[in-house]
């Protein structure tokens, strides 16, 4: 046990399967999608827009992070959404 972590569980690593968001959205409609992806918003929205997957999202909540004030990308994300 680590000092100061009374009650902590010692556990082995667990392998968790993952899915591409694009693959899920290409096969089904989503009523509400919440994105909180710590700075990857523009890249993900561009990827989804290029595949046509954005059109299967009815509503989107996005927490947008701009890490480089010299290169804002919010306008790109909004353009991707407007185009869908």
């Amino acid at each position: 046990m680590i000092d100061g972590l009374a009650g902590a569980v010692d556990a082995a690593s667990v392998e968790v399967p993952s899915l591409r968001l694009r693959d899920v959205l290409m096969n089904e409609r989503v009523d509400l999608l919440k994105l909180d992806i710590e700075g990857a918003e523009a890249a993900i929205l561009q990827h989804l827009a290029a595949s046509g997957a954005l059109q299967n999202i009815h509503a989107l909540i996005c927490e947008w992070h701009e890490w480089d004030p010299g290169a804002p990308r919010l306008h790109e994300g909004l353009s991707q959404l407007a185009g869908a």
Side-chain angles (χ1 to χ4, degrees):
M1 182 172 80
I2 300 172
D3 290 339
L5 293 179
V9 177
D10 290 329
S13 64
V14 176
E15 200 167 305
V16 178
S18 64
L19 301 170
R20 283 186 181 266
L21 181 57
R22 177 201 64 204
D23 295 343
V24 172
L25 292 173
M26 292 301 291
N27 294 313
E28 59 187 271
R29 180 177 163 80
V30 173
D31 291 328
L32 176 64
L33 177 67
K34 180 180 184 296
L35 292 178
D36 183 1
I37 49 181
E38 306 302 318
E41 299 84 5
I44 295 297
L45 289 176
Q46 181 179 23
H47 183 71
L48 294 176
S51 67
L54 277 179
Q55 296 175 2
N56 283 338
I57 302 170
H58 178 73
L60 174 74
I61 298 171
C62 183
E63 185 175 320
W64 195 271
H65 301 273
E66 293 280 5
W67 300 116
D68 182 0
R73 300 188 68 193
L74 179 59
H75 64 283
E76 294 174 23
L78 293 174
S79 293
Q80 298 294 338
L81 294 171

